[in-house]
Amino acid sequence: MPRQEIELPYRIDYLSILDEQGKVDQDLEPDVDKDFLLKLHRGMLLGRRFDERLLQLQRQGRMGTFAPITGQEAAQIGAVAALEDSDWLVPSFREMAAEIWRGKTMENVILLYAGYNEGGAIPDGLNNLPIAIPVGTQTLHAAGIAYAMKYRQEKHVAMVFFGDGATSEGDFHEALNFAGVFQVPVVFVCQNNHWAISIPRSKQTRSKTLAQKALAYGVPGIQVDGNDVLAVYSAAREAVERARSGDGPSMIECVTYRMSVHTTADDPKRYRREEDVEGWVAKDPITRFEKYLKSRKIFTDKKIEAIEAEIKQEIKEAVERSEKKMEELGDPLLMFDHVFAELPPYLREQHEELRKELRQDST
Amino acid sequence: MPRQEIELPYRIDYLSILDEQGKVDQDLEPDVDKDFLLKLHRGMLLGRRFDERLLQLQRQGRMGTFAPITGQEAAQIGAVAALEDSDWLVPSFREMAAEIWRGKTMENVILLYAGYNEGGAIPDGLNNLPIAIPVGTQTLHAAGIAYAMKYRQEKHVAMVFFGDGATSEGDFHEALNFAGVFQVPVVFVCQNNHWAISIPRSKQTRSKTLAQKALAYGVPGIQVDGNDVLAVYSAAREAVERARSGDGPSMIECVTYRMSVHTTADDPKRYRREEDVEGWVAKDPITRFEKYLKSRKIFTDKKIEAIEAEIKQEIKEAVERSEKKMEELGDPLLMFDHVFAELPPYLREQHEELRKELRQDST
Amino acid sequence: MAKMTMVQAINLALKQEMEKDDNVVVLGEDVGVDGGVFRVTEGLFEQFGENRVMDTPLAEAGIIGFSIGMALYGLKPVCEIQFSGFTYLGFHQLESHAARLRGRSAGRFTVPMVLRAPYGGGVRALEHHSESREAYFAHTPGLKMVIPSSPRNARALLVSAIRDPDPVVYFEPKALYRAFREEVPEDEETMELGRSRIAREGKDITLISYGAMLHETMQAASALHQKQGIEAEVIDLMTIAPLDDALFIESARKTGRVVVIHEAPRSFGPGAEVAVRLVEKSFLYLEAPIRRVTGFDLVIPLFQREKAYLPGVDRIVRAVRETLDF
Amino acid sequence: MAKMTMVQAINLALKQEMEKDDNVVVLGEDVGVDGGVFRVTEGLFEQFGENRVMDTPLAEAGIIGFSIGMALYGLKPVCEIQFSGFTYLGFHQLESHAARLRGRSAGRFTVPMVLRAPYGGGVRALEHHSESREAYFAHTPGLKMVIPSSPRNARALLVSAIRDPDPVVYFEPKALYRAFREEVPEDEETMELGRSRIAREGKDITLISYGAMLHETMQAASALHQKQGIEAEVIDLMTIAPLDDALFIESARKTGRVVVIHEAPRSFGPGAEVAVRLVEKSFLYLEAPIRRVTGFDLVIPLFQREKAYLPGVDRIVRAVRETLDF
Ligand SMILES: Cc1ncc(C[n+]2csc(CCOP(=O)(O)OP(=O)(O)O)c2C)c(N)n1
Ligand SMILES: Cc1ncc(C[n+]2csc(CCOP(=O)(O)OP(=O)(O)O)c2C)c(N)n1
Ligand SMILES: [Mg+2]
Ligand SMILES: [Mg+2]
């Protein structure tokens, strides 16, 4: 038995359904109804418009820094669209569209970036975790949540998002490995937007795809056109079904692009060329999907206008609600909420210290 | 462009040269001289005999706990035999045979396990790191050392050892990724001895091989019969040459078996069956290699006896030297050595505190 | 009631809580089939099966992060880190998530997990197996840090830790695992976290300690009493954070003199916090400087020098005498 | 001499040390092409190339562990962790290796690396971007923990840190990055690690601080002087560990009254160590309890409440008055 090749159990596929012109591969076109397609469109468009509004708020100084999502709407909406409400979403910090699709309120998004901890609040019954900023670390939570689902024999699924950069963190590795070993119902969705701040995908890792990293854990992986909402949705549905039927975790690499700044504190001109970005304009996930919808006569320019108006109004109301909420949140003593179930004595003393100080300052 | 398979750049091979009966695959037999083969044998045998002696010392209470290597001699000696003295060895805690091959003294090994920090000392000029106990963490040091070699344009290689369990740690992942990205001259040698204390290889990760994990980083990986010193040596030589000629890192998975306890604090009867171990007796790396050497008429039973006697004597002298050294190391104040280049004031005060205390106790 | 070692008492706490509540699961390296490298989880795998007593891959961030996920979903994971010296590989999961998710979600999510780890010196171990770095955790807002000192309180504190709605780091002084036995009631017993106790009453001086060093301190107190009639009051902190200062302050107000004893390195260690609380809250009562008898500001040496590193009875007695003579 | 911001001064230190010594290399996330998210490494990539100014993959344990390897081979890596709040992902590499390899190898190997990270509040950042947890590092035997307070000392301390044969954690108060300019000599300047300095002389009370809070403290001292003629002596620690207690003890012996100011959470924080050293070494000189003006024992809140969380001039002034009135 000399040197011989070992057969590995999985292969890595690339999936694409809608091309840049909005032409669909009919063999692969998912069988879903028109309302669902419209919902996908609306989810993406809302994500885009809200992103634009947040950028304005930030530039006006009404909000602090945040991570824009423009360009990544298909990767997000396509993936979460495969979930049920009883499933769980574990976001990183660049899945605003996905979070809102699932029921996170826009006013809470604003509140958080405006510097109020209450923006992290999640209403009871909504199975979204708050955003996780330390890159890659949330992948383990998703695996643990999925274990708990399996343990309780509840047929739910956890879906976790992370970036291309996140695949370099040790926690990503440990999460994939735990998920593989315990065969838990979790779907790992990588938004490969080609950049981790200024580090291009090619410098992040030498592997040809990110999807192939799943092989290291005996977990199936697939690469999809992340600007193709149908491809993302199809891959996610497959992975969610696999998870739900007890066949364990999967990883999906969505190849997309960060069209905007990393965060509003970032200046991409320092590290990437305008041309690089321009090449991706043609691949825009929303334009492409609108072409498809039009070609299927699912909607018209007129209908788009109506939706745009509706979304604009929704966003306006959310901004107003957030402003009202901010007025109620002016008391700095609120920082002592939610530390432990009960405030221990020395923290009570500190609370009292601050209370007195605030009283003195105001008199 | 529908769903299509992505071609990945590497395949995973399995390499075996000497079978369990010591029969060699002549196509793959490495072209090395007899002295070198004898040296390999001696390195393995010394490892085995010293291991046995350490176990006695431990059982007699003359040493604390340690991690025996019996069964893994080929994986260690085969790998380091491919290094030059100017290359660097980065061990974990179960590579005693490899460390000694490279020049670590047996008395230092004893001193360390007898509870003297001085056992970690490495003579100037010997390019071994001390053992690293936190599992997997040393892989990053090897990658960094290799980067420094490349940076200085010195054509050396770093070789790092770790176990099957270590592949689960995030640091392993980060080390492989850094090594791949920076294309540094490092060889990752995994001693897959089937156990991480009580956790069998099958529960450590769901991937079919450990070698395939290298694919996640665009790094070539190979699996070898780790009880076949010729296979390990051949794979290591290939990897070392690749590294030395600037072609970057590699990973070698040596499939071997931990024939003894995890450490002397462990009782494997609790988690594995005697039969599992017995199956591996027939695969013993030393017996197999001796058969091969005999079949090639490189040595005789008589010669083996002489080598055994020589090794016994060497070990005896090392034990004696260690005991003498212990007498010189009785002063607890030595604990204040080697904290910083210079002892800062508050530590000087603490040193003085202990000095006074010891003086008082002795009067 | 049965006389138990600390290992047995902790095992009893786990077993009974698992019997009572399906949400309690145990996970870590070698906690299953092997029963834990110190046998703390012995028998649990056999009784509760592999879904509730999980042998995990070798990855500490993994163990802690996975536990956080389970806890978010409503389970009550008790994870073991094989030695406290390996907790650092997952420290970010504790600091950045376990301790913060309640706050981050404005109260929606909680992380009712316990991280158990053997800590401290005295068992002739290898490097990284004898650390005492409870201060890292005590300084971390959102974490509780508990250290028992006897089989009985180990059991009761662990039960309370498991039931606590917030993350608790529970360090087990491994030198005490089998050092002595104590009556531990079969019936449920809990012990409020965040409370210290008087381990010995006295009026001349207050000695504050916890974990394995509590016993050195108690022996020192006996010796002082027997040889010189000095009546030392000994306080066992049990919870390091949130620190219960009420009890030791009351004691210090009575005695006016205080020695703090722990094996952690001295600088920026737990003794500093105890001392400063005394200064903040009972300044005028202090008749002598507070003394710290602690590990030195060194990595704890290998076992040949460990005894000289760790506070021992003689060192404590000397510090007490000097404090009394001040 | 040129007037520089702290960012420019740190950049100057890196540039000059790199010019002087080929062994100095810079690595981290976005430190290369981008010049660092705070522009601290701006221009270095262009001047020294990608082999010496390395954009790394996104992995903190990786960055620190890789730096350790480089340092073992004789390079002098200066790695950047993008925010101190992400250091914990590689904390085990610092604790278990950087701080120990000298000891572990009985002196053969050393780890002459510097870990730079921006720390502290005051820049309207997201969660994890405003932490102040220098105590974790200060409590770790084998590490030095340095925090500058001005462009000039930032530059000089960083040069000394790079030349130091042992690992140095160097936290940069990001609130000061561009807060003011100071003359920084073009010529080489170093500053011994492990030494604090008198930032303002006075005789009535001693205020001890460092980093960004030093400036709040200095303002408080001015206000106290202007309004009430109180002469506060202000000490800037600069090195947190090993802690130079000689200077502040001398000052406390003179003034008898001490307030410690830092933004780190109070309990088990640096102020506790400062206080206990004072108790140990100048007990009889203390005329009032030592006061701590610090962050609360909470995760620092998002920016709307950050001002109320951080020590500010008013809070310091009040503590001083109460200490003087004691
Ligand atoms: C552990 C950690 N290190 C560093 C950072 C700073 N940081 C925030 S986002 C980011 C890049 C993330 O890249 P990627 O994972 O590709 O996600 P993307 O931002 O592209 O969505 C970095 C370095 C962080 N938040 N967490
Ligand atoms: C980070 C860390 N976690 C846990 C341990 C305790 N421990 C020591 S060896 C070991 C198993 C290691 O397994 P493997 O990597 O396969 O190496 P082997 O012992 O088989 O040589 C464990 C869990 C450790 N030393 N370091
Ligand atoms: Mg990205
Ligand atoms: Mg193993």
Side-chain angles (χ1 to χ4, degrees), chain B residues 88 120-124 126 128 131 137 140-141 143-145 147-148 151-152 154 156 171 174 338 340-341 346 349, chain D residues 22-23 51-52 54 59 61-62 65-66 69-70 73-74 92-93 97 102-104 106 108-109 142 166 277 280-281:
Chain B
W88 282 53
I122 308 277
D124 275 343
L126 174 59
N128 289 9
I131 65 166
T137 56
L140 280 164
H141 309 160
I145 288 169
Y147 183 84
Y151 175 76
R152 291 219 182 132
E154 290 164 351
H156 308 318
D171 283 21
E174 300 187 11
H338 311 305
F340 294 111
Y346 201 56
E349 292 169 31
Chain D
D22 267 1
N23 289 314
N51 292 338
R52 291 188 72 187
M54 303 163 63
F66 201 74
M70 291 164 135
Y73 199 78
H92 58 288
Q93 283 289 348
H97 295 302
R102 180 188 281 276
R104 184 179 302 145
R108 161 72 191 278
F109 294 109
D166 288 300
R277 295 277 182 99
E280 286 174 350
K281 299 185 171 186

Side-chain angles (χ1 to χ4, degrees), chain A residues 72 94 163-166 191-197 199 258:
Chain A
Q72 304 183 209
R94 200 188 298 282
D164 44 311
Q191 290 197 78
N192 170 8
N193 65 2
H194 283 81
W195 295 95
I197 309 187
I199 311 299
R258 197 195 78 209

Side-chain angles (χ1 to χ4, degrees), chain A residues 267-291:
Chain A
D267 173 13
K269 284 199 215 76
R270 301 178 63 92
Y271 54 79
R272 73 177 183 190
R273 298 170 313 165
E274 263 321 298
E275 304 97 84
D276 296 342
V277 185
E278 280 157 20
W280 283 84
V281 173
K283 300 186 211 267
D284 188 275
I286 299 181
T287 325
R288 184 190 307 195
F289 194 54
E290 289 181 351
K291 282 186 193 154

Side-chain angles (χ1 to χ4, degrees), chain A residues 49-68:
Chain A
R49 296 294 171 251
F50 187 47
D51 208 47
E52 290 162 354
R53 185 71 183 105
L54 290 180
L55 204 60
Q56 287 173 339
L57 291 174
Q58 194 280 335
R59 298 300 186 212
Q60 293 161 359
R62 293 159 72 188
M63 248 181 45
T65 196
F66 79 103

Side-chain angles (χ1 to χ4, degrees), chain D:
Chain D
M1 296 259 272
K3 284 227 172 213
M4 289 190 182
T5 62
M6 188 181 280
V7 163
Q8 291 167 327
I10 294 172
N11 183 274
L12 179 70
L14 292 169
K15 180 175 135 76
Q16 290 187 331
E17 284 303 289
M18 291 183 83
E19 283 169 348
K20 180 165 288 175
D21 183 354
D22 267 1
N23 289 314
V24 180
V25 298
V26 161
L27 68 158
E29 296 156 11
D30 309 293
V31 299
V33 181
D34 192 38
V37 294
F38 286 104
R39 310 287 170 251
V40 171
T41 54
E42 184 149 30
L44 300 180
F45 182 84
E46 290 73 10
Q47 183 174 354
F48 300 103
E50 64 174 3
N51 292 338
R52 291 188 72 187
V53 185
M54 303 163 63
D55 275 323
T56 66
L58 212 179
E60 286 71 17
I63 292 168
I64 301 173
F66 201 74
S67 298
I68 291 171
M70 291 164 135
L72 289 168
Y73 199 78
L75 302 191
K76 291 178 158 289
V78 183
C79 70
E80 174 176 308
I81 297 296
Q82 205 159 76
F83 288 87
S84 72
F86 305 129
T87 322
Y88 320 134
L89 286 89
F91 188 66
H92 58 288
Q93 283 289 348
L94 278 177
E95 193 284 333
S96 306
H97 295 302
R100 291 169 178 249
L101 271 151
R102 180 188 281 276
R104 184 179 302 145
S105 67
R108 161 72 191 278
F109 294 109
T110 56
V111 183
M113 69 179 273
V114 178
L115 183 155
R116 294 180 37 244
Y119 94 106
V123 299
R124 290 171 60 89
L126 294 168
E127 200 194 341
H128 309 285
H129 290 70
S130 308
E131 330 304 311
S132 183
R133 301 282 174 86
E134 53 278 14
Y136 295 149
F137 307 91
H139 184 54
T140 303
L143 293 184
K144 296 181 180 173
M145 173 77 243
V146 173
I147 299 183
S149 60
S150 83
R152 184 163 177 176
N153 65 37
R155 190 278 197 106
L157 286 166
L158 182 54
V159 170
S160 295
I162 293 171
R163 296 185 190 174
D164 197 279
D166 288 300
V168 179
V169 178
Y170 178 93
F171 274 6
E172 300 165 5
K174 67 174 95 66
L176 301 184
Y177 267 159
R178 295 184 168 80
F180 63 99
R181 288 169 183 272
E182 189 182 27
E183 297 283 348
V184 177
E186 176 65 25
D187 284 351
E188 163 174 323
E189 197 173 46
T190 61
M191 211 164 185
E192 197 182 337
L193 305 189
R195 289 245 186 221
S196 49
R197 69 182 179 100
I198 295 180
R200 177 188 177 112
E201 286 193 41
K203 59 177 183 25
D204 298 327
I205 189 163
T206 302
L207 311 185
I208 305 173
S209 190
Y210 54 91
M213 291 304 110
L214 197 253
H215 297 274
E216 303 293 325
T217 305
M218 291 294 276
Q219 280 179 46
S222 292
L224 286 160
H225 185 244
Q226 277 164 26
K227 294 202 198 130
Q228 294 157 331
I230 294 166
E231 289 182 32
E233 181 144 300
V234 178
I235 306 242
D236 179 6
L237 290 178
M238 297 193 302
T239 298
I240 312 305
L243 182 64
D244 172 19
D245 55 31
L247 195 69
F248 67 71
I249 280 163
E250 196 187 311
S251 176
R253 288 188 176 183
K254 180 171 71 182
T255 65
R257 292 167 201 271
V258 179
V259 178
V260 196
I261 302 97
H262 59 62
E263 49 182 304
R266 185 174 306 165
S267 290
F268 304 89
E273 184 61 30
V274 170
V276 70
R277 295 277 182 99
L278 287 162
V279 170
E280 286 174 350
K281 299 185 171 186
S282 59
F283 183 70
L284 292 178
Y285 297 85
L286 294 177
E287 288 164 34
I290 299 150
R291 278 288 294 268
R292 293 186 286 179
V293 181
T294 68
F296 300 114
D297 289 349
L298 305 171
V299 171
I300 182 169
L302 295 182
F303 58 84
Q304 294 292 349
R305 294 172 196 143
E306 209 181 49
K307 192 161 171 300
Y309 177 89
L310 294 172
V313 173
D314 290 350
R315 196 176 291 165
I316 299 167
V317 164
R318 217 162 2 237
V320 168
R321 288 229 208 86
E322 286 168 17
T323 304
L324 288 171
D325 292 347
F326 183 83

Side-chain angles (χ1 to χ4, degrees), chain A residues 123 137 147 151 154 174 346, chain C residues 22 51 62 73 97 108 280:
Chain A
T137 57
Y147 183 85
Y151 175 77
E154 291 164 351
E174 301 187 11
Y346 200 55
Chain C
D22 267 2
N51 291 339
Y73 199 78
H97 296 301
R108 160 73 190 278
E280 286 174 349

